[in-house]
Amino acid sequence: MMNKTAPDQIIRDMAIDVKRSFIVQAPAGAGKTSLLTQRILNLLTIVDNPEEIVAVTFTRKAAAEMRHRLIESLKDANKVEPKLAHEKRSWELANEVLKRDQEKQWQLLKNSHRLRILTIDSMSSLIANQMPLMSNLGGSLAITEFPQESYQQAAQAVLGYINDKDYSDDLTLLLSHLDNQVERLVGLLANMLAKRDQWLRLLGAGELDIELLQSGITEVANLRLAKLSKFSHQLENSCLMQTLHFAAGFIDAKHSLAALKQVEYLPEFDADNLLQWKAIADFCLTGSGTFRKSLTKKQGLLADKDLEGEDKTIGKQIKAEIKTQLAEWSEVDGFAEALSDINRFPMAAYSEQQQELLSSLLKLLRLATIELNVDFQSRSEADFTEIALAADRALGYFDEPSDLALKLDYQVSHVLVDEFQDTSFTQYRLLNKLIAGWQRGDGRTLFLVGDPMQSIYRFREANVGLFIKTQQEGIGDIDIEPLTLTANFRSSGKVIDWVNQQFQNIFPDYNDALLGAVAYSSAVAMKSSDESEGIKFIPSFDQSERSEAEQIAFEIAKLKQNSPEQSIAILVRGRAHAEPIAAALNEAGISFYAKDMQLLKFKAVIGDLLNMARILLQPQDAIAWIGLFKSPYWGLSLSDIGHLNNKFNHDFLKWISDYQEVQELSKQATYVFEQKTQFMKNALEQAGRKPLSQLVETLWLALGGPSALIDPQALSESEAFFKVLIKLEQNQNLDSIDIVETALSKLYAEQKMQAHDVEIMTMHKSKGLEFDTVFLPSLERRKRADGHQLLLWEEFSSGYEQHYLLAPIQAQETKEPIYQLARDIQNQKAQFEDARLLYVAATRAKKRLYLSCQLGTKYDEKKAEWAYNPISKQSLLYYLKSSYESDIEQSFSELVIDDDTLEESEAISRDWYRVKHVAVKPKVNSPLEANQNVVEIEDKEIDFDWASDVARVVGLELHKLLENVGLRRQSFQQIIDNQYKAITCSLAEQLPEQSERELALNKIQKAVNLMQKDTKLNWILQSHLEAQCEWAISHCENNEITNMIIDRTFVDENNVRWIIDYKTGEHLGSDLDSFLESEKRRYKEQLNKYVNAVQKLDTREIRKALYYPMHQKLVELA
Amino acid sequence: MDFSQLDPQNSLIVTASRRQARFIREKYQRYQIQQGKEAWNSLNVLPWSAFLEECWGFYVQSNQDKISTRLNKEQSQYLWQQLVINSKQAGELLNSQQAVKISYDAWRMLNQWQIDDFSFQHGDADQEAFAEWYFEYRKLLSQRNWIDSHQVGTILSENLSKIIKYLPKDIAFYGFQQLNVQQEKIIQAIKNSSNFLDFASVKKDVVRKQLLAADSQEQEFISAIRWAVEKLNDNNEQSIAILVPDLQQQRLLLERIIQRELYPEDFIEGRKGQSWHDISIAENLDSKPMVHAVLIWLKLVDSSITKSQLQSLLLTPYLYTNDESYWHATKVELEVRQSNKNFYSLNAISDLCLRYELTFDWLEKMKSLKEQSNETSSLTQFIQRVLSVLETLHWTGYKALDSYEYQLQQQFLDVVKAAAKLSPVVKTKLTWSAALNILQKYILESSYHQETPKAPIKIMGMLEAVAIEYDSVWFMSATDKILPQKSSLNPFLSKALQLKHNLPGSSQQREIEYAESILDSLLAKEELIFSYATHDGEQEQLPSPLLQKLVDRTQKHLSLDSELPEYLQQWPKGDVDVYQDDKGLPLGNDDYVAGGTGLLKTQAASPFDAYLRYRLKLYPFETDDLGISFMERGNIFHKVMQLLWQYLVSQQALINHSEDELETLVTRTITTVLNIESKHLYLLNNQGFHQAEVLRLKQRVTAALNFDKERVPFEVIATEAKREIEVGGLRLRITIDRIDRLEDGSLIIIDYKTGTPRLIDLLNDPIGEPQLLLYAISEHKEKNPVSGILFYQAHLKGDKYLGVTEESEMIKGVKALKDLANNPYADDFDSAINQWRTLLNEIAQSFKSGEAIVTDYSGNYADHYGVSRWIERDLNYQENLKRSLGATNDE
């Protein structure tokens, strides 16, 4: 950025005034981010907590960038003061922030979470999560990446109500409206759910207010008439009225212009006179919406020969006058359009049938949202819309900002919204609720910034009308001042001049919130230009010697030669447009980076991997099996496949196990089966047990994996496939290929960008970026028309009133006026947005802009000449037509069409390929040899038995009890006196069933009674030398450490150490002695281990014994 | 850590975690061995929870009069959950489990921080609801003389003076980061007593520390693993820790990298290599396929299951006794997959299997279990029954389990058994589904942790390494998002309260301190590496600012030669041969092929796809339509027209019917047909839908009849006429929708279409719609020559005839062959039919010969792309192929 003062510097200075609220229109290249950063820095110098400032960005990427920019500014504050004025300002502000940080102990540089820079979605989450019950969310929900699945489920669930008396009539009504096509209804319902935040609000909870809706239509008519009224001057000062009166005389009551008979004066410009206005418009305009060049008896102006007397004279004169008049008017900008808008306007009223339909539709839509919630509940996840709705619900609780502040962790005092032109109604409402109760001058501020000229996200419900409305009317109770920046720091003078000149004409000269019409705001270039810079238009035709793509490649090659380091981007409107260009660049050897251009699912390797996945998920998938056998990994011939099929049909397990039985099998096939069958069997053996991602990858590698890849990109494509599987499996078990296919259907092949690559991307994607040179190819291409929707709606305000338009879908193959009106509005919006898309794309250029098109040509039999196809209104080229039509014509006139080369059809390849028999697999060595030190985990025995815990718990309790008595913490008598309270309590915690607890207590009581009287035990527990209970020792033998706990040990009067292990089991049989004998054998080894260990600690003689409290037996082991 | 001063028999070391307890025990053991000892007194090291357990024992002894029963964690949670879920406030929450979790966490904090007099914001619905739950829960506990697991610490902290005499003489604490009030009080009380032992922590003298930046998280993973391999190659006795803060989310990705980098041989062979690393992670038990399937199966006792659940049962390998049985099950699954029936009861499944004459062990076992399970039972009885049926089912099937599965099975059974512990807090009599529900929730809260042999590379979450010493440590994803974490208030407690008590998540300051204490407690003897990815997708990331004082300011950028392991880089790509394969097996003379005219149509367009479809019988899996599919609509229309013309026979009869009569006739016919169809078209049983369908059909049928009224007189001589015809040596069975005879004896052949056919498809090469030509060949006789072949289009877009006739305008809008601008055939029918015969003969012969070439039209058969490799058939592909052939030949 140069050190030259911007012409709008005063505005920029004003915009960072933290006491005032602004809505700033910042056109492309105006340095909006710097402005936002400075304002945030400035705000940080006055707030008590950084969290009071909330900055909302459009994407997470933008949020991260903004946050980092702020942190960098703060870090740079410690460096030397910069020289450039603009940087200096930021540096000063950052220094002040650091002072504030110090003073308030914020520690911003240690904790950047304190900078609240969020997307609108994360702000919704923040609010909703903070109010789990108020938002009805219950707490944070995972956001689903594939909400379409839930929408579809919910829509299908609605169909389940067909026998429900409350919904049956509604469903059948709607179904018959849609030609009884159930799948279509389900699909349309599902599509509606994605946008439910929009229409749910309009539906409200109660009954339909048809009057309100009807008045919505009227209001649209009024708005259109108001637009027409700008031409009232022309209409009044013309011969029109006279002509109409004359014509009316020759029109009968059934004539389509019969309404003209009622026109005495120029009607008022309001909807009451719509019929008359429509007749006037029809009178003046042709079917295609241009002023008539001649008027005939169809308009009531009979041919001279059919008129008589005075009529003849007057008629002749009137016709001449009106002809001149209409010719004059056709030169007036926007006049024909405004009249045409009226002409197209349907005389629409909600018929009874339509009302019924609408009411059924709304009922079903509400039901669908309920079903959607059920689906979300079952998955514990939701879509972004649900989170937004939840935040909206939660905020509905608060009237006062102070209440909200109590609920959120910090009070929100300053809100900044970036890309405000792309705000949707839902987001706008959220913002409104967030600032509810803010008052003028209470120190809180709002800062909205964006560029309505760059609003291009209508398909995501972005509503540029909101920007316009806010500019005009403000928002809430806040004084918000509109500012407009004009300086452009990005592009050269030549580019800016072109942009100014073109878009001044392309954009309307008025703002219209309903239609999203935005007037152009001029830019002032801050950069000068040199010779090599500027704009170039390259027209070509399908018959041109060099195709458009080749021309582009040619131009790029030149540019690369002259200034290889400069950035070049090719911006396309649709992804398909990039294909021929990519091919041409390949051909020319120009390396490029096309992000998100080629869908992964259209890649060969993905097809092969999908086949493998399909077989592992459903081994009956015959197409997948044959696909695998025909893939390069198996490479079977069709006749081999035929033989196998004759023998085994679709029993593919037999194909791979018993292939030897097929004698006709070729050597090639037998060899492949021998080589590969086992891998397939291994994979099938593990199917449904291991993660699919692992199984497929292993199988793929085993079958030869990369050996079959002939496309250099394919290895990275296979990588992407495995990563998709992994990502999916992280959240769910993959049991259906549909999930994988859905995920893949939206995924693009990844590519690594190299330095100086030409970038190819969509115009939408290019927003916010800049390049030295920009190519805009395929400008002649039309865009696809929007699909039908169950319900179309418009929400708009005029004056202080809010209006709605709701149009239920028209029956198939019919045209219904209200629906047509809504479509008409949407089409107009789309047209305006197209112009903005062109603006966005063109303003990415810093130095050079190349515009190009490739028009189709055809031979006109009648005129016996070649012609090029007309430029479609739905193309971007349409907007540049007036400037470049002559170039196109010139270029076409120079075109030589060679009939011989026509109709060259594209050939396909019929070759098959397969991995060679001798294909080399690389040597694979693990980097580390097998680890010798591993001690395998021993598997425990699988035990389905329900074993009562009683014996174990009794054992534990008795051990504890003996320890306590041994350590003199308590005596048997005390236990009895305390009525076993502690033990009862402990049993209650350990044994779930009452009966078990009783049984255990009985056993313990019995043992205590016995032990109390047992003299042997008395001896064991009495005071001895080195006596210990629960003695924990460790023993290391042969490098293996054993830890053990000895129940009781002591040294007796003979200086002999005793090691005693308690055995709390009870022998209920008769032969106690032989039981004890067997016990001795059983525990001998265990006690020997104890002895071994203790001998390392004590050299005394050691005696070992088992003590049986239930039998009062001390059994010594030899 | 100086063990020499310790008297193990009179000391106790309390650690913050189990892992730390194990670490100290092992360190002590090493110390003893270094001292040359073979046996020694073990050191008593207890993690906090075990220490409390021990203290509780002493407390009970000292305070036998006032003892309540402690609930374990699961019991407490269950009670709280019941209370919240059944409260009016939690009625329709989207995620009530989460509300339970967060509110229980609030309860936990109030207890652990010993906040009794908590205040809440009036008017705040969340806090008010919580306060209600809080008091209700307390009331419930006190009524039943229960103590929640989180209350224990408070009781002990208040009664420590009574307990302390039982505790060892020297007590030390290790590894505690941020103490709660319960811990603080207990530790403080011990500090104040003579029992406290000041146990020095491990010395920190790391040799090397550095901060590395990578482009992506994946690069961090790969670098860390390669770094660990390098270290182990130097000395394989080292202990290496790799800390991954978001391990849970990254587990599969990380496992893949580990397998590829550490055990490539095993990876390619499909073995799980596991000797150099272990991943310490708890997985959800219920999400494991083995467990998932069995839980669905148990549901069948008294509920229906969903379509996808049934699919899981039919596709899981864990329920089958042999390969064959499993293979059969997968066949049944196909039918389920194609049907749009959404729920299946046990009976419905039985019927389904009966149709295939199949029976499955799990189905039979379930039937007998169902017979026994009508009444209610206690939870324990339920669990006993579950265990016993699992045993008789021989769950987990016939396949040999690997160690992972084996442990999983064991742990699952343990968890099922442990669920019985909930008995005291649940109802005594439960229905099967109520009990199963409890069990399922219990399993949901339980996790699976595979036990693996001790390995030198330990991969774990960031908290698990706290205060444990390793030779080298690599801390990944050390971004400013992770260190410190973002604070987050508990929404059920007031902000003021959380701030006042400095509760977890209450302030950013607390998060900074916490993060710093974690960083401070990382112990590495040789090397401590922090890394972060500069980008997460498109988002930029920054390193944690807290690392500044730990590492040099200069960070290095990690640059990998390749993200791929070496063997993948070196693997020769495109090592292929090219072959031609345009022909399959010829069809034997006696072989019959079903397919009729569709076969000819496909063969004409793409012989390869005809081979797949009609010789190999490949069909895609398609799910039934929800309503009436387009094909069924067509069938219904055909049937109605057939019945009508069978009745009417002649155009005259049609004309003779008055409008009313005709309407009655049409309505009656449609109703008859729909009634028959409703047996398999579920929606037709709905009266409204039925009626709508009648109306819809009436419009189409009436329009058709009106057309026929205007035609030159005719008589319908056949409807749905079945013929067998031979073309090119191929015998085809065909059904002609309708044959009309005109007064001159010539025939008009009519084919009904409920879609929108195109005339051009009769004229194009390859022929798009050969059936009319075939019908003409079949019916054309000298006496009754065919003078017209027509589609009748019955469609909302327009009801009309289209086709060709001998003379123009014999039928409104239909032209004669000779008048068609682009007629490729002879002008008269007789000659044209001869041409058609030749044309169709050729197509049939090509099919018979096994001709299976891919053509430009193969692209129309998208279901077969995976076989025809259509996406590779453009010229770009050819170039690549040539390139790679060239490249490999050069080698």
Side-chain angles (χ1 to χ4, degrees), chain B residues 397-648:
Chain B
Y398 68 103
K399 298 197 170 174
L401 299 185
D402 62 21
S403 167
Y404 179 88
E405 291 173 307
Y406 197 80
Q407 287 189 38
L408 179 63
Q409 187 190 17
Q410 183 66 50
Q411 282 202 23
F412 174 72
L413 292 173
D414 288 347
V415 167
V416 172
K417 290 173 192 172
K421 290 235 164 80
L422 289 180
S423 282
V425 294
V426 302
K427 278 195 214 148
T428 46
K429 289 288 171 200
L430 296 160
T431 61
W432 180 274
S433 55
L436 184 61
N437 200 5
I438 292 172
L439 177 63
Q440 263 180 311
K441 286 210 171 113
Y442 191 83
I443 291 168
L444 196 69
E445 297 292 324
S446 313
S447 51
Y448 169 54
H449 201 132
Q450 190 195 6
E451 204 184 334
T452 48
K454 267 193 193 162
I457 307 175
K458 296 196 185 314
I459 295 155
M460 55 197 154
M462 73 172 175
L463 298 181
E464 284 167 277
V466 163
I468 298 176
E469 187 184 45
Y470 296 92
D471 290 318
S472 296
V473 174
W474 183 311
F475 190 120
M476 285 202 241
S477 305
T479 63
D480 62 344
K481 278 190 226 156
I482 302 284
L483 295 168
Q485 300 242 347
K486 194 160 134 188
S487 69
S488 106
L489 290 170
N490 188 304
F492 289 106
L493 298 175
S494 82
K495 181 167 79 183
L497 178 103
Q498 295 182 71
L499 274 173
K500 179 177 153 196
H501 294 276
N502 199 19
L503 296 185
S506 63
S507 75
Q508 305 289 2
Q509 183 54 36
R510 195 182 199 280
E511 296 301 327
I512 295 176
E513 284 164 15
Y514 186 50
E516 280 178 336
S517 74
I518 289 169
L519 289 174
D520 204 39
S521 67
L522 294 176
L523 306 172
K525 280 195 278 193
E526 274 188 13
E527 191 167 12
L528 176 59
I529 293 180
F530 294 96
S531 70
Y532 78 103
T534 54
H535 286 86
D536 170 15
E538 292 200 319
Q539 272 182 85
E540 283 177 24
Q541 300 198 114
L542 292 178
S544 164
L546 306 183
L547 299 177
Q548 259 182 9
K549 59 179 183 188
L550 283 171
V551 290
D552 290 342
R553 288 192 141 234
T554 47
Q555 51 164 288
K556 272 201 242 157
H557 198 90
L558 270 172
S559 58
L560 290 176
D561 293 337
S562 167
E563 287 181 21
L564 298 172
E566 208 177 83
Y567 65 91
L568 270 184
Q569 294 173 54
Q570 288 171 355
W571 202 310
K573 322 280 184 307
D575 204 359
V576 294
D577 284 330
V578 167
Y579 66 106
Q580 304 301 317
D581 193 21
D582 296 340
K583 233 172 164 124
L585 294 182
L587 192 67
N589 281 333
D590 301 328
D591 293 340
Y592 168 75
V593 187
T597 53
L599 184 159
L600 294 178
K601 178 178 166 176
T602 315
Q603 184 72 18
S606 170
F608 180 81
D609 291 281
Y611 194 81
L612 296 192
R613 174 76 175 73
Y614 297 99
R615 294 293 303 279
L616 300 179
K617 310 233 168 358
L618 300 188
Y619 295 87
F621 298 160
E622 270 171 14
T623 310
D624 292 352
D625 271 38
L626 291 167
I628 305 181
S629 68
F630 283 103
M631 205 206 276
E632 278 155 349
R633 281 180 167 218
N635 289 339
I636 291 172
F637 182 80
H638 277 71
K639 282 183 189 158
V640 172
M641 292 306 284
Q642 182 188 9
L643 285 180
L644 280 171
W645 281 111
Q646 274 174 356
Y647 173 79
L648 290 168

Side-chain angles (χ1 to χ4, degrees), chain B residues 359-374:
Chain B
T359 179
F360 300 115
D361 212 27
W362 57 263
L363 190 63
E364 297 309 307
K365 292 271 156 32
M366 183 45 68
K367 282 189 209 159
S368 62
L369 178 61
K370 189 183 171 83
E371 279 162 23
Q372 306 156 16
S373 299
N374 288 334

Side-chain angles (χ1 to χ4, degrees), chain A residues 555-564 568 773 775 848 850:
Chain A
E555 295 288 346
I556 291 177
K558 269 200 299 188
L559 287 166
K560 285 262 161 203
Q561 210 167 20
N562 296 337
S563 29
I568 300 174
T773 308
F775 284 82
R848 283 166 227 97
Y850 287 77

Side-chain angles (χ1 to χ4, degrees), chain A residues 132-138 370 373-374 377-378 397, chain B residues 81-97 99-100 125-126 129 132-133 441 492:
Chain A
L133 301 184
M134 295 188 209
S135 67
N136 209 22
L137 224 51
I370 295 170
N373 276 1
V374 172
Q377 272 171 340
S378 72
Y397 276 80
Chain B
Q81 172 193 300
Q82 288 305 103
L83 193 139
V84 171
I85 299 267
N86 295 327
S87 71
K88 58 181 187 298
Q89 297 94 334
E92 285 169 359
L93 296 180
L94 269 181
N95 190 355
S96 50
Q97 282 308 324
V100 169
D126 298 303
E132 217 170 285
W133 300 332
K441 286 210 171 113
F492 289 106

